[in-house]
Amino acid sequence: MTDANKARFNAEAAQWDSNPDIQQATRLAHKAYLSHLPSDPAILSTYDILDLGCGTGLLSLALAPSVRSVTAVDAAEGMIGALEAKLTAEDAAKNVLPICAMLEDPDDERIAVDPVTKEKVTGRRFDVVVSHLVLHHILDLRKLFATVFGCVKKGGKVMVTDFENFGPEARKFHPESKMDGVERHGILRDEIKTVLEEAGFVDVKIETAFELEKQVETEPGSGVMGPTMVFPFLICEGTKL
């Protein structure tokens, strides 16, 4: 994550959850992930999940009741602080571990801690690595997925969701005032498939997961939100043999 990204997300952390588009995109992503994960609760409840770029933990907390554990990682201190505040509630999930880190090493000791037992597990790996609305902020996707591949157990999966780059209009997903830290206007199907395969994943599948309708600026840079547009989101999945 660049300094521009960190600054933006630290500044927006307190109001992040109040954005209805973010809430809706997370609900739809959660539904998409569940449709691609084992449908048998007994199997899914054994899964350890790594959520990269977890933000305030909306997706992590949505997944937590269905799985054994969620390790929630984000480089923005403000976002992790917001998640930590949620986890102080009496009825909060006890199987979510928030970590403020720029994860670049699968053997990073910070993700070796088991959220359930709180014990360090050398060489800890995950059944599934998820990431939602993060890829368009990452300059070097190949470096990212090399790290992700190392974090996945043999037989495990990567599943990531982000909006699709369907042409010049995809730029409208962000107001012009929030372009700092945006490295690409959505993800390209062929590009992400190639990146996942080059990282070592097999059985790579790129599918439309859902569509999000959101307001866009009436004119680029005007700051005035008016018409709505429909943005397709992709779910990108691969398996580590």
Side-chain angles (χ1 to χ4, degrees):
M1 179 182 283
T2 64
D3 290 341
N5 274 316
K6 288 182 68 174
R8 174 189 164 190
F9 291 122
N10 280 329
E12 294 185 4
Q15 289 78 39
W16 191 255
D17 290 1
S18 64
N19 186 323
D21 292 331
I22 291 170
Q23 291 280 357
Q24 177 68 351
T26 305
R27 283 191 291 268
L28 293 170
H30 177 230
K31 183 178 179 180
Y33 283 122
L34 289 182
S35 72
H36 284 248
L37 289 167
S39 57
D40 185 343
I43 296 175
L44 187 55
S45 66
T46 68
Y47 273 35
D48 294 310
I49 305 290
L50 174 62
D51 183 3
L52 283 181
C54 66
T56 63
L58 291 173
L59 179 61
S60 296
L61 294 173
L63 288 170
S66 302
V67 301
R68 180 183 177 275
S69 75
V70 181
T71 299
V73 178
D74 202 285
E77 297 89 347
M79 292 291 186
I80 290 297
L83 173 54
E84 288 174 337
K86 294 177 187 179
L87 293 174
T88 62
E90 186 174 343
D91 59 348
K94 306 304 180 188
N95 62 339
V96 176
L97 177 65
I99 297 172
C100 185
M102 175 71 75
L103 188 63
E104 297 179 319
D105 181 1
D107 292 315
D108 190 312
E109 291 188 353
R110 290 169 292 186
I111 64 169
V113 177
D114 187 315
V116 177
T117 66
K118 304 301 187 287
E119 296 178 353
K120 185 175 290 186
V121 180
T122 302
R124 186 166 183 257
R125 297 295 185 257
F126 299 87
D127 296 285
V128 182
V129 176
V130 303
S131 191
H132 174 56
L133 273 175
V134 172
L135 300 188
H136 66 274
H137 292 292
I138 303 299
L139 178 61
D140 190 343
L141 291 178
R142 283 172 172 79
K143 181 179 179 182
L144 170 69
F145 282 104
T147 300
V148 169
F149 186 81
C151 291
V152 177
K153 292 179 181 178
K154 289 185 178 181
K157 291 181 177 290
V158 61
M159 293 182 189
V160 295
T161 44
D162 211 327
F163 71 102
E164 182 177 10
N165 182 345
F166 54 88
E169 292 286 283
R171 180 185 178 91
K172 295 182 179 180
F173 188 86
H174 295 94
E176 291 296 316
S177 63
K178 293 189 176 182
M179 288 298 179
D180 281 350
V182 174
E183 301 294 348
R184 56 183 53 78
H185 303 297
I187 52 178
L188 295 166
R189 289 174 183 257
D190 290 344
E191 179 186 14
I192 194 65
K193 185 174 188 295
T194 297
V195 169
L196 287 174
E197 289 174 342
E198 288 180 351
F201 291 104
V202 300
D203 298 328
V204 175
K205 300 174 184 176
I206 313 297
E207 302 174 359
T208 300
F210 58 88
E211 294 182 334
L212 177 71
E213 184 174 349
K214 69 189 295 283
Q215 281 189 308
V216 298
E217 287 183 302
T218 54
E219 296 291 338
S222 69
V224 178
M225 308 302 287
T228 60
M229 276 184 61
V230 174
F231 292 88
F233 273 63
L234 301 179
I235 185 166
C236 313
E237 176 182 350
T239 301
K240 179 177 180 177
L241 292 181

